[in-house]
């Protein structure tokens, strides 16, 4: 089946899905994105992802390219044309194309570039791999000061993940100059500390406020599980009882090793697996 990509109002075969050579997303990383899970023919946490997309655009003063109802249609049509039942849908909005110029304040006539891509995933295979747990590598956080905006400036994340791959780890956990974990290269970071408390870093400009993180906090409230929002060091994470990452594509994924240190007894933690299995009881699931 030929994959179809939505670009600026058109559904195009994958090989023809192109944007302008002077698109600011390409030249300046001047673009934001979202990734939503598609599960069992439903769009997961669409409202929160769209809220965050609008916030990212607002922070960068990129005009809203379309209304929510239009986004909803584009995502569903892209998912339908690619026959995705389980997988993800990716949205990207750049400020648009114009002759290269650092300044944007007088670019009042710019039309944002909009791209939507849907992709299938083998859920059974991902599930089997996830519950075994992953290793992560601790890597210095080299990103900028506005990690709360979900921009496409992903080179530091790519480099960190490549460093993780060198030691057979699936994700990088980034740490700041004081040794505190900020987040994963493409996920949020959590531990169950040595006192048994669930801990994650508070949302700030240093991390992305993950939608999966926010929905997981709803699950914790529902189940009366206490959460402590505080920073933790790499050393503390290595001595933790449990560790896991969250993202729209990895969901709640157990971390069983950080660098050379096994977490707990080296197997996924009980609380982690419980949170993974109950996550979709609280997440929003919208029909396609
Ligand atoms: N990444 N932190 C970073 C830096 C991320 O890139 C992501 C998501 C998250 C988790 O956010 P959410 O729970 O909303 O997916 C945290 C996506 C999945 C990606 O880049 O593919």
């Amino acid at each position: 089946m030929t994959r179809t990509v939505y670009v600026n109002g058109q559904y195009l075969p994958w090989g023809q899905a192109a944007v302008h050579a002077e698109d600011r997303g390409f030249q300046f990383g001047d673009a934001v994105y979202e990734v939503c899970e598609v599960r069992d023919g439903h769009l997961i946490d669409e409202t929160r992802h769209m809220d965050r997309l609008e916030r990212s655009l607002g922070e960068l003063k990129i005009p809203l390219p379309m209304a929510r109802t239009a986004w909803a249609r584009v995502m569903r049509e892209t998912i339908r044309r690619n026959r995705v039942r389980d997988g993800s849908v990716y949205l990207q909005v750049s400020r648009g194309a114009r002759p290269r110029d650092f300044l944007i304040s007088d670019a009042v006539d710019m039309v944002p570039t909009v791209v939507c891509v849907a992709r299938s995933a083998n859920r059974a295979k991902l599930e089997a791999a996830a519950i075994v747990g992953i290793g992560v590598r601790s890597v210095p956080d080299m990103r900028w000061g506005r990690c709360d905006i979900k921009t496409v400036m992903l080179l530091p994340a790519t480099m960190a993940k490549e460093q993780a791959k060198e030691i057979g780890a699936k994700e990088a956990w980034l740490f700041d100059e004081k040794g505190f974990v900020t987040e994963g290269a493409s996920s949020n970071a959590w531990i169950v500390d040595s006192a048994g408390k669930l801990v994650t870093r508070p949302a700030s400009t240093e991390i992305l406020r993950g939608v999966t993180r926010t929905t997981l906090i709803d699950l914790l409230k529902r189940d009366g599980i206490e959460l402590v929002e505080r920073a933790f060091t790499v050393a503390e994470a290595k001595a933790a009882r449990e560790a896991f990452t969250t993202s729209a594509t990895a969901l709640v994924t157990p971390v069983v090793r950080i660098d050379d240190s096994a977490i707990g007894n080296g197997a996924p933690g009980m609380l982690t697996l419980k949170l993974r299995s109950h996550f979709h009881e609280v997440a929003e699931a919208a029909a396609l």
Side-chain angles (χ1 to χ4, degrees):
M1 188 187 81
T2 318
R3 288 182 59 202
T4 300
V5 177
Y6 173 90
V7 185
N8 291 333
Q10 287 185 293
Y11 294 92
L12 299 167
W14 192 88
Q16 290 164 33
V19 299
H20 197 279
E22 287 212 289
D23 193 276
R24 286 188 57 91
F26 180 53
Q27 289 183 331
F28 292 96
D30 190 356
V32 300
Y33 75 106
E34 280 298 326
V35 183
C36 290
E37 185 196 6
V38 180
R39 186 183 183 89
D40 254 338
H42 290 78
L43 207 44
I44 305 303
D45 278 332
E46 178 182 14
T47 308
R48 281 182 170 153
H49 283 284
M50 296 317 294
D51 287 347
R52 189 173 62 190
L53 181 69
E54 288 181 3
R55 178 182 182 276
S56 294
L57 291 169
E59 291 298 304
L60 298 177
K61 298 191 170 61
I62 297 176
L64 263 186
M66 56 176 102
R68 288 255 175 143
T69 46
W71 278 123
R73 267 201 305 278
V74 167
M75 282 193 281
R76 283 165 178 75
E77 186 60 16
T78 309
I79 290 166
R80 190 188 69 75
R81 288 187 189 228
N82 290 282
R83 296 192 199 139
V84 176
R85 195 171 160 74
D86 290 300
S88 61
V89 60
Y90 173 93
L91 295 176
Q92 184 177 326
V93 183
S94 85
R95 199 179 303 272
R98 76 193 288 252
R100 186 172 181 273
D101 186 346
F102 282 90
L103 298 178
I104 47 176
S105 48
D106 56 354
V108 284
D109 53 346
M110 290 196 68
V111 180
T113 301
V114 179
V115 167
C116 181
V117 180
R119 190 187 255 194
S120 291
N122 182 334
R123 199 166 118 204
K125 204 169 148 197
L126 286 179
E127 189 62 26
I131 58 170
V132 172
I134 60 165
V136 303
R137 183 173 188 177
S138 62
V139 174
D141 192 342
M142 299 191 300
R143 302 170 305 163
W144 71 328
R146 289 304 305 273
C147 294
D148 56 313
I149 307 174
K150 197 163 172 58
T151 77
V152 299
M153 297 190 295
L154 294 175
L155 209 43
T158 293
M159 290 169 74
K161 279 179 185 278
E162 284 293 341
Q163 281 177 265
K165 191 177 167 223
E166 281 167 17
I167 63 160
K170 286 274 189 292
E171 174 62 309
W173 272 16
L174 310 176
F175 61 87
D176 64 20
E177 63 291 342
K178 292 190 184 126
F180 287 95
V181 174
T182 50
E183 60 182 330
S186 65
S187 59
N188 289 117
W190 306 67
I191 57 168
V192 177
D193 71 10
S194 53
K197 289 261 190 316
L198 183 57
V199 180
T200 198
R201 191 177 175 112
S204 68
T205 51
E206 288 148 347
I207 68 165
L208 185 74
R209 187 190 286 265
V211 168
T212 317
R213 177 188 185 281
T214 303
T215 297
L216 193 64
I217 292 173
D218 285 349
L219 174 63
L220 300 176
K221 285 182 188 146
R222 187 198 75 172
D223 290 356
I225 299 168
E226 190 194 342
L227 171 67
V228 182
E229 289 188 75
R230 66 166 175 85
F232 55 86
T233 61
V234 173
E236 187 182 3
K238 287 181 180 175
R241 291 189 193 176
E242 300 187 23
F244 62 90
T245 64
T246 56
S247 77
T249 45
L251 307 172
V252 176
T253 291
V255 170
V256 294
R257 177 168 292 276
I258 301 174
D259 301 332
D260 284 336
S261 306
I263 305 306
N265 61 6
M270 296 285 282
L271 179 62
T272 303
L273 291 178
K274 184 174 139 191
L275 296 177
R276 182 178 176 90
S277 68
H278 292 302
F279 178 80
H280 290 94
E281 292 167 12
V282 295
E284 177 194 69
L288 291 179

